């Protein structure tokens, strides 16, 4: 691995970190790239790209399938990545960490493999009004298939969960699943997972956490959170696409039916009957995203070296600055909680201008932000809008990029005046 541009510290140097990311070496429409859309996907540092290249060039083979050198090297790298990622979230054991295609696939795995066998009429599945569709639609679907009730914890006007409504939401039903994001991808709201997990367990329910927007940005400790399952994606945390991870409590994973069926996940296959392998193999049917998992491990090394505390602090400062500057622009509406209770995500609208138009004019200035419903249509319904603009920050984001966003919005307003 090539040397890091930074050493662990609380205050990170985003300008130095940026030098690790080749994407910033180009101009967009003749301007330096201001990438303010890391919540959708993050860019990749050389340290990760180098590991991917060298893995393919020197060690690539299929895993758990051969007794020759390349297969052994590949298996070692793949299982090494599992260990790193498991310890990144303080999982009690690496075998409880399943490689998936994405956070979406991890949540679907739990909804199908746990939900279809454990839910039925009279049971209640609880999500929130903040959820990304990935942690909403699978539960809505599985509740519908099994006859369970599907309910939402409401939001208050500040974009935070109304915890005093929990008992009303349960409404005398048999709550079996509470599924919540740790950080909202639309509003940046940080949800009180420990508290929700305590409530879920009092009801006899499992607590499922969508950590897609949390794992890249803050230290995750599944044992301290007290959850039962936690899903996240590599591509949002400096790693490759097409790989993610699902952590689950060992005893739950062991008791569950498999999700995908095929090679590697079996103990024995007979015409009469097939039996399943041990976890994690039981949930890893077929050829896995091998190099991607190894790259995911390298991404976790990179984030650990920069320091999750420093990353969280940096993004927090940027969010506070962005909220302040955006709040000064007449006609801008901001959504979500105050800076001290949100992550590095800021959603807003500019009066009379559709977010797609805002985003397109900003692109002429080399500024990339997201415009749309952010896969959160129930939240948009709640906010009474069809879409918002969203700026989101990461370890390589500079305050100067927020200044450029503010200047860009003045231009947008002139174009549509
Ligand atoms: C909160 C949240 N959950 C889940 C997902 C889905 O992630 P993926 O598309 O990597 O499966 C996203 C992606 O934007 C997200 O923001």
């Amino acid at each position: 691995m090539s040397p890091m541009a930074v050493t662990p510290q609380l205050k990170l140097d985003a300008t130095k970190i940026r030098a690790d990311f080749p994407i910033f070496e180009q101009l967009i429409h003749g301007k330096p790239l201001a990438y303010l859309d890391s919540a959708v996907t993050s860019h990749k540092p050389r340290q990760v790209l180098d590991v991917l290249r060298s893995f393919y060039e020197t060690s690539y083979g299929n895993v758990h399938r051969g007794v020759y050198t390349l297969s052994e090297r590949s298996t070692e790298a793949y299982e090494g990545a599992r260990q790193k990622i498991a310890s990144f979230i303080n999982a009690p054991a690496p075998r409880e960490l399943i490689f998936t295609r994405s956070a979406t696939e991890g949540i679907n795995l739990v909804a199908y493999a746990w939900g279809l066998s454990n839910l039925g009429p009279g049971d209640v599945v609880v999500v929130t009004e903040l959820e990304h569709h990935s942690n909403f639609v699978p539960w809505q679907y599985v509740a519908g298939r099994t006859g369970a009730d599907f309910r939402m914890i409401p939001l208050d006007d500040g974009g935070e969960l109304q915890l005093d409504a929990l008992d009303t939401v349960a409404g005398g039903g048999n709550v079996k699943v509470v599924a919540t994001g740790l950080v909202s991808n639309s509003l940046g709201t940080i949800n009180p997972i420990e508290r929700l997990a305590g409530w879920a367990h009092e009801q006899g329910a499992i607590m499922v956490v969508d950590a897609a927007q949390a794992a890249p940005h803050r230290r995750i400790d599944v044992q301290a959170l007290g959850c039962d399952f936690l899903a996240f994606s590599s591509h949002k945390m400096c790693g490759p696409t097409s790989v993610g991870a699902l952590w689950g409590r060992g005893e739950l994973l062991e008791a569950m039916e498999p999700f995908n069926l095929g090679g590697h996940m079996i103990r024995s296959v007979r015409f009469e009957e097939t039996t399943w392998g041990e976890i994690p193999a039981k949930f890893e049917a077929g050829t896995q995203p091998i190099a991607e998992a190894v790259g995911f491990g390298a991404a976790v090394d990179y984030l650990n070296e920069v320091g999750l505390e420093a990353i969280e602090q940096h993004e927090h400062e940027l969010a506070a600055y962005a909220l302040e500057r955006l709040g000064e622009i007449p006609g801008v509406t901001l959504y979500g909680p105050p800076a001290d209770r949100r992550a590095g995500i800021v959603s807003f609208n500019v009066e009379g201008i559709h977010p797609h138009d805002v985003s397109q004019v900003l692109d002429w200035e080399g500024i990339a932000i997201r415009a749309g419903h952010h896969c959160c249509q129930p939240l948009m319904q709640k906010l009474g809008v069809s879409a918002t603009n969203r700026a989101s920050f990461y370890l390589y984001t500079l305050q100067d990029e927020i200044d450029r966003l503010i200047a860009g919005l003045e231009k947008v307003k002139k174009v549509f005046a």
Side-chain angles (χ1 to χ4, degrees):
M1 213 177 178
S2 42
M4 298 287 307
V6 288
T7 47
Q9 54 188 345
L10 196 56
K11 183 100 187 124
L12 62 73
D13 183 342
T15 307
K16 268 191 180 170
I17 285 178
R18 248 173 129 74
D20 290 338
F21 290 77
I23 197 88
F24 295 116
E25 287 164 12
Q26 65 184 305
L27 298 177
I28 302 280
H29 301 301
K31 315 262 169 53
L33 169 62
Y35 185 72
L36 299 177
D37 199 15
S38 289
V40 83
T41 198
S42 70
H43 285 293
K44 321 299 170 199
R46 268 188 200 87
Q47 288 82 345
V48 170
L49 301 173
D50 289 351
V51 166
L52 276 172
R53 186 180 184 98
S54 115
F55 177 73
Y56 272 123
E57 287 181 351
T58 64
S59 309
Y60 179 68
N62 212 330
V63 296
H64 297 298
R65 279 160 175 78
V67 285
Y68 53 86
T69 303
L70 284 185
S71 179
E72 281 166 5
R73 271 188 207 158
S74 260
T75 303
E76 200 178 310
Y78 179 76
E79 290 305 328
R82 190 192 310 279
Q83 279 182 17
K84 284 178 196 174
I85 298 160
S87 85
F88 184 72
I89 56 165
N90 198 27
R95 69 189 188 96
E96 296 180 345
L97 191 117
I98 315 291
F99 280 121
T100 60
R101 202 164 49 83
S102 58
T104 302
E105 192 181 64
I107 296 164
N108 274 275
L109 190 161
V110 184
Y112 277 84
W114 191 91
L116 287 179
S117 313
N118 288 285
L119 293 171
D123 292 336
V124 179
V125 175
V126 177
V127 298
T128 81
E129 284 185 327
L130 267 179
E131 285 333 291
H132 187 282
H133 296 164
S134 295
N135 198 34
F136 188 100
V137 183
W139 293 114
Q140 185 183 44
Y141 177 75
V142 167
R145 284 262 308 260
T146 56
D149 260 18
F150 179 65
R151 301 184 190 163
M152 291 190 288
I153 304 173
L155 283 185
D156 64 20
D157 291 342
E160 294 181 275
L161 297 181
Q162 290 185 30
L163 296 182
D164 52 5
L166 288 179
D167 291 337
T168 317
V169 172
N174 188 17
V175 180
K176 283 279 200 68
V177 178
V178 180
T180 313
L182 205 170
V183 170
S184 153
N185 65 305
S186 283
L187 303 183
T189 311
I190 301 163
N191 288 321
I193 296 299
E194 292 92 334
R195 178 125 182 244
L196 287 165
W199 180 73
H201 292 150
E202 276 164 34
Q203 316 289 309
I206 56 164
M207 179 77 215
V208 182
V209 177
D210 171 1
Q213 294 295 346
H217 307 285
R218 50 199 290 123
R219 194 162 292 291
I220 301 276
D221 179 337
V222 289
Q223 301 186 56
L225 288 174
C227 56
D228 300 294
F229 293 97
L230 183 132
F232 51 111
S233 282
S234 150
H235 71 94
K236 292 186 196 287
M237 46 199 293
C238 299
T241 51
S242 305
V243 65
L246 172 74
W247 170 79
R249 278 188 202 284
E251 63 275 21
L252 291 173
L253 290 171
E254 274 155 7
M256 277 157 63
E257 291 296 312
F259 177 47
N260 289 320
L261 303 152
H264 184 61
M265 51 76 67
I266 53 91
R267 182 188 306 278
S268 84
V269 180
R270 301 273 178 277
F271 178 69
E272 302 75 23
E273 188 195 23
T274 294
T275 54
W276 319 134
E278 302 290 333
I279 60 167
K282 182 171 83 173
F283 292 106
E284 294 184 357
T287 296
Q288 291 297 295
I290 303 163
E292 290 82 355
V294 173
F296 190 4
V300 157
D301 284 340
Y302 183 80
L303 295 178
N304 276 334
E305 278 202 63
V306 176
L308 272 294
E309 291 72 15
I311 294 172
E312 184 183 356
Q313 179 61 23
H314 176 67
E315 294 172 11
H316 175 72
E317 285 166 15
L318 292 172
Y321 182 69
L323 285 173
E324 189 189 318
R325 294 294 318 273
L326 286 165
E328 291 163 1
I329 304 180
V332 165
T333 304
L334 291 163
Y335 303 98
D340 61 340
R341 297 204 296 282
R342 76 156 80 201
I345 293 177
V346 176
S347 268
F348 61 95
N349 268 324
V350 186
E351 194 179 1
I353 311 175
H354 193 279
H356 286 164
D357 292 331
V358 173
S359 170
Q360 190 162 10
V361 175
L362 289 175
D363 181 54
W364 302 342
E365 302 298 317
I367 303 165
I369 65 162
R370 176 89 187 267
H373 55 63
H374 317 299
C375 297
C376 288
Q377 287 183 351
L379 173 65
M380 296 296 125
Q381 203 178 338
K382 171 88 177 187
L383 297 176
V385 297
S386 60
T388 72
N389 303 282
R390 181 188 70 185
S392 55
F393 316 127
Y394 207 8
L395 70 176
Y396 42 62
T397 308
L398 305 174
Q399 186 170 303
D400 167 66
E401 292 174 290
I402 296 173
D403 293 335
R404 286 180 57 202
L405 169 66
I406 303 298
L409 288 174
E410 294 301 345
K411 284 201 177 142
V412 170
K413 286 176 77 174
K414 282 197 189 116
V415 169
F416 292 96

